[in-house]
Amino acid sequence: AQSVTQPDIHITVSEGASLELRCNYSYGATPYLFWYVQSPGQGLQLLLKYFSGDTLVQGIKGFEAEFKRSQSSFNLRKPSVHWSDAAEYFCAVGAYGQNFVFGPGTRLSVLP
Amino acid sequence: SQTIHQWPATLVQPVGSPLSLECTVEGTSNPNLYWYRQAAGRGLQLLFYSVGIGQISSEVPQNLSASRPQDRQFILSSKKLLLSDSGFYLCAWSQGLGQPQHFGDGTRLSIL
C-alpha cells in the first residue's frame, strides 16, 4: 500500500538554526514528491516539487529538498530558519494518473 | 493566473442541519477538483475528487456528498450534519492526477 511517513510530529528550532524535516514513502510507481506548508487556519501552499532529473530541488522561501531513491526519502531543508517559518509541513507523494498520499505533517516551532 | 475561492471561511451549524460548501476556480479550464477534510491536529483526508463535470469519485464512505455542476465549481453537501463532520475542509485543484495541487483557504466547520 502507498504510504508517507513523517517521523517527527513536532520539531522546535532556534531562529537562525538549520532545519531538516524528514519524509519517507512507500510507493509502487515512480513517485512525484511534494512539500507543502500550512499556517494556522490557512490552506496549504506548495513549497517545492520533484518529478524527475536533479535530485536536489529548490523551492520558495529558501527551502530545498533532496530525493534519495535508495532511502525512499525526500527530506526538506533550510539553512537558516526564520520565525515566520513556524507552521505545519506536509510531505505528499503522487504519480502520473494517481492521487496524492499526504503524510501526517510535522509542526515546526521557532524559538526567538 | 489561477485562483481558487472557498466559502464560507467559517460556519457553525447545529446537528441535523444541511450543509453546502462551495469552491470555484478561475483562470484554468477542466481542472481536477478535490475536497479534503482535516481534523484537529491530524493530516489531510481526501473525501472526493472530480476529473470533469458530473464525474465524482468518493474516497471514503460518509455522510457527505459532492457535486460538480460546472467546470470550475465544486460543491460539498450534506443533508443532515453529524458531530463527527466537524473539521477544516479544504478544496484544491490540479491540472491532472499526480500534478501539483493548489489549495483554497479552507472552511472551518463547527457542529453544535
Side-chain angles (χ1 to χ4, degrees), chain A residues 89-112:
Chain A
Y89 291 81
F90 293 94
C91 180
V93 178
Y96 179 77
Q98 300 293 320
N99 274 327
F100 280 18
V101 176
F102 279 90
T106 296
R107 184 161 63 93
L108 173 66
S109 297
V110 180
L111 298 175

Side-chain angles (χ1 to χ4, degrees), chain B residues 53-95:
Chain B
I53 295 175
Q55 300 178 62
I56 308 295
S57 297
S58 174
E59 290 295 293
V60 293
Q62 59 205 314
N63 183 43
L64 303 169
S65 62
S67 61
R68 185 171 177 173
Q70 301 181 43
D71 181 44
R72 290 168 289 175
Q73 183 185 29
F74 205 25
I75 297 172
L76 183 69
S77 304
S78 174
K79 293 181 179 179
K80 285 188 176 182
L81 285 168
L82 306 172
L83 283 174
S84 57
D85 293 322
S86 293
F88 191 54
Y89 288 82
L90 289 158
C91 181
W93 74 272
S94 71
Q95 289 288 10

